Amino acid sequence: MTILSVTITLFLLMDSPGNVPIFLSVLGRLEKTRRRRAILREITFALIALLLFLFFGRTLLSSLGISAPALSVAGGVVLFLVALRMIFPGQYGSLTEGTDPDPWLVPLAVPLVAGPSSMAYVMLIATQEPDRIGDWALAIVMACVLGGLTIYTGDLLRRWIKDRALNLIERLMGIILVVIAIQMLMNGIGQYVQTLSTATP
């Protein structure tokens, strides 16, 4: 693996282009300066989370007794709840409504940008080639910079996106997030079943 290949893989796992409408929906009530500051803050949180998992992920999960399948299932549950609020704002509360239009860490930084798949990937590369941990840290920084630029640039689209279109985007992205959440749940359950089958004599 090279730094470039790891950077590209992480960028794809973060799905920054797909997260642009979600960031616009969640942070839609903030004024421009505060909204862009919030985008940079959430990308920084995601960077810190990935670096923590790179250096301490396996140790942390093993000490807490948390498995990779459990991480995937937890991420799926959080995304599913977020998706329900996006699709049915009248019943579950819209992500763009409420007393706090500027959520910290969840759900933007984690699990949307730094999700279970990217966390598991950085733990994997750290385990496979631990002597190149500095290279992988650089790759994570580069991927987050690219992802942050993508989302930050996407904020410029707000001048052409009206409220009705933003609400439509929010519901469409909610439907997509439901599918992603279900896939995360299925992956986590599948991995857990596989560990049970391999453990059975």
Side-chain angles (χ1 to χ4, degrees):
M1 291 185 293
T2 65
I3 295 178
L4 180 60
S5 65
V6 172
T7 300
I8 294 174
T9 302
L10 276 174
F11 178 76
L12 294 176
L13 288 174
M14 291 176 185
D15 190 24
S16 297
N19 287 336
V20 169
I22 303 175
F23 269 76
L24 293 180
S25 295
V26 174
L27 304 176
R29 293 177 58 199
L30 301 179
E31 54 94 13
K32 181 172 66 174
T33 302
R34 188 181 173 194
R35 182 173 63 249
R36 293 181 178 177
R37 200 179 300 140
I39 291 174
L40 295 178
R41 182 195 68 220
E42 296 304 310
I43 295 298
T44 302
F45 283 161
L47 171 62
I48 294 173
L50 290 175
L51 288 175
L52 287 175
F53 269 82
L54 177 70
F55 289 103
F56 309 110
R58 285 196 174 276
T59 302
L60 176 63
L61 292 180
S62 61
S63 64
L64 295 176
I66 300 174
S67 63
L71 181 65
S72 181
V73 171
V77 170
V78 171
L79 276 183
F80 186 78
L81 295 176
V82 170
L84 286 181
R85 294 178 61 190
M86 294 174 69
I87 299 173
F88 306 108
Q91 299 182 36
Y92 297 95
S94 173
L95 287 173
T96 59
E97 297 177 355
T99 57
D100 185 10
D102 186 11
W104 282 54
L105 190 61
V106 178
L108 297 180
V110 180
L112 286 179
V113 178
S117 57
S118 55
M119 290 178 180
Y121 181 71
V122 298
M123 286 191 294
L124 177 63
I125 60 177
T127 302
Q128 290 180 339
E129 297 185 65
D131 55 319
R132 300 184 61 191
I133 199 81
D135 291 343
W136 307 147
L138 176 60
I140 291 174
V141 172
M142 293 171 60
C144 286
V145 168
L146 289 175
L149 287 174
T150 302
I151 296 173
Y152 192 85
T153 305
D155 184 58
L156 300 176
L157 296 175
R158 284 195 62 86
R159 69 184 65 180
W160 293 289
I161 299 178
K162 305 302 181 183
D163 289 342
R164 183 175 298 179
L166 195 60
N167 291 334
L168 177 61
I169 291 174
E170 182 177 2
R171 284 166 173 76
L172 290 177
M173 292 306 301
I175 295 173
I176 296 174
L177 277 183
V178 166
V179 178
I180 296 174
I182 296 299
Q183 186 63 53
M184 285 184 181
L185 289 169
M186 292 173 59
N187 290 343
I189 294 172
Q191 292 169 9
Y192 179 69
V193 171
Q194 186 176 10
T195 59
L196 290 180
S197 62
T198 55
T200 303

